[in-house]
Amino acid sequence: MNPLHGYRSEDLQLGRWAFVKRDAVLSWDASKPMPEFRDAVKQDALEFIKMSTDEFILERKLSQYWIISHRWFSKSHPDWDKNLPQNNSAKLKKLQELLCEHEEIRGIWLDFCCVPQGNDADGSDTYVHNYGMRDEAEQRYFRYTLDNIKLLYLTGTVLIFVDQKYMGRFWTQFEAFLSLHKAGRKGVVPKTDQDVEDDVFICEMGAASASAGAVRNSLIDTWRTKSVHEAIEVLSQPDIDVMNQSDKAVILPRLHDLNKNVIEIFMNDDKRREAAIDEKQ
């Protein structure tokens, strides 16, 4: 037992994803910051779902969960900034409003609440948080999530909180590209207009809310028709800002790997289906 966090970090399983329950989000007090992962565990606010890569690609298990794409308001919290109080709980308030409008949504995935925060034990994390050090189990879970987060945005129903600063950040633009694409037999391919209408919710925040949909449309126009190769070229540009410069070098080649992996998964699934048909004949 970890006495500081009040949960067993060794129980964290790779491939077992945490989602905040709908009722928990609705119950949170918007006058206080949203809870970090460990506090969410202690509140019994999380539901865990185990999924393999094949299940992500071939099954739509996450259609009733919103995968949240957003930028953090401060280094220590994504929805709270003591220096800019107008930001405090802006996303939580909007989430609660939207959940009341969408009764079919069972929960959300939001990085701060669904992955342990803090610095890695080896000091390799350049982000400064107020949550101490991740122990080895937490570090392993965090790194696994970072490596596989692409599956959430490619296959899930995505809620994007977009503001003017969102448009120039590496991770948010990476997520937006994936959100506007889907897995198919030809790899990572653009979503249709109807797919976007059904599976991508874009909420303009801050100054972007005064654009009357122009920021939303700009985001879609930037990414929806881009190929994986084109997306890598755009995301490589120096005006796409990233806190940890090594992220681009590590993450972008994995888009090519993801494209190949998706094609392979569909090919193997087709072979299994053909074999099953042959057995019945």
Side-chain angles (χ1 to χ4, degrees):
M1 175 70 72
N2 186 327
L4 177 63
H5 303 147
Y7 81 110
R8 293 172 57 88
S9 61
E10 58 266 34
D11 289 341
L12 293 173
Q13 298 177 23
L14 305 187
R16 191 167 173 255
W17 295 80
F19 295 86
V20 185
K21 300 172 186 176
R22 169 195 181 85
D23 289 345
V25 178
L26 291 173
S27 72
W28 285 342
D29 183 353
S31 69
K32 301 176 182 178
M34 280 191 289
E36 186 266 347
F37 172 77
R38 301 171 186 90
D39 288 327
V41 171
K42 287 189 285 186
Q43 293 177 14
D44 193 29
L46 302 181
E47 170 188 5
F48 288 87
I49 303 176
K50 191 169 182 63
M51 283 179 291
S52 66
T53 300
D54 282 24
E55 288 174 318
F56 265 112
I57 299 300
L58 298 174
E59 303 176 22
R60 282 189 53 81
K61 287 190 172 183
L62 299 181
S63 60
Q64 292 181 299
Y65 297 84
W66 277 335
I67 313 303
I68 310 300
S69 177
H70 65 116
R71 73 170 183 91
W72 284 42
F73 288 154
S74 70
K75 287 183 177 180
S76 61
H77 200 282
D79 198 32
W80 198 271
D81 186 348
K82 63 182 180 181
N83 297 317
L84 293 170
Q86 63 266 41
N87 280 340
N88 291 349
S89 290
K91 295 170 197 168
L92 175 57
K93 292 172 185 175
K94 195 64 182 178
L95 267 172
Q96 291 173 334
E97 177 186 327
L98 291 171
L99 283 173
C100 289
E101 295 173 4
H102 292 270
E103 296 183 359
E104 75 280 7
I105 299 301
R106 293 183 52 181
I108 67 166
W109 188 91
L110 190 147
D111 49 7
F112 181 75
C113 306
C114 297
V115 188
Q117 303 301 309
N119 295 312
D120 286 352
D122 62 6
S124 62
D125 191 348
T126 61
Y127 294 93
V128 178
H129 295 289
N130 295 331
Y131 304 97
M133 294 288 184
R134 282 187 287 260
D135 64 25
E136 288 186 13
E138 291 168 339
Q139 183 174 333
R140 210 164 34 243
Y141 187 79
F142 179 87
R143 290 297 170 188
Y144 175 88
T145 300
L146 202 65
D147 289 344
N148 291 280
I149 198 171
K150 55 189 178 286
L151 296 172
L152 288 173
Y153 291 99
L154 182 65
T155 65
T157 301
V158 180
L159 172 59
I160 297 175
F161 286 119
V162 62
D163 61 10
Q164 299 289 359
K165 292 184 178 181
Y166 179 102
M167 301 297 287
R169 302 284 181 87
F170 171 74
W171 278 105
T172 55
Q173 295 303 285
F174 176 78
E175 293 162 4
F177 166 74
L178 291 168
S179 303
L180 293 165
H181 288 68
K182 60 185 179 182
R185 283 176 172 76
K186 294 183 178 180
V188 176
V189 297
K191 284 181 174 172
T192 65
D193 289 340
Q194 189 60 54
D195 290 333
V196 173
E197 185 71 22
D198 294 341
D199 298 332
V200 185
F201 297 82
I202 301 177
C203 180
E204 292 174 322
M205 305 283 286
S209 63
S211 76
V215 174
R216 174 189 184 276
N217 293 337
S218 176
L219 186 67
I220 293 173
D221 291 343
T222 298
W223 295 115
R224 193 182 71 79
T225 60
K226 292 290 189 296
S227 67
V228 167
H229 178 72
E230 291 169 333
I232 291 173
E233 286 189 341
V234 175
L235 290 167
S236 299
Q237 296 302 311
D239 60 333
I240 299 292
D241 191 32
V242 63
M243 183 74 71
N244 188 342
Q245 291 298 322
S246 66
D247 284 351
K248 286 190 180 185
V250 172
I251 298 299
L252 289 180
R254 293 179 184 171
L255 273 180
H256 278 308
D257 296 338
L258 174 64
N259 196 52
K260 294 175 183 176
N261 197 15
V262 168
I263 293 171
E264 183 178 337
I265 286 172
F266 272 98
M267 287 179 60
N268 290 337
D269 185 58
D270 287 341
K271 290 177 182 177
R272 285 193 295 268
R273 292 174 184 273
E274 290 171 3
I277 292 172
D278 289 342
E279 286 180 6
K280 291 180 180 179
Q281 292 177 344

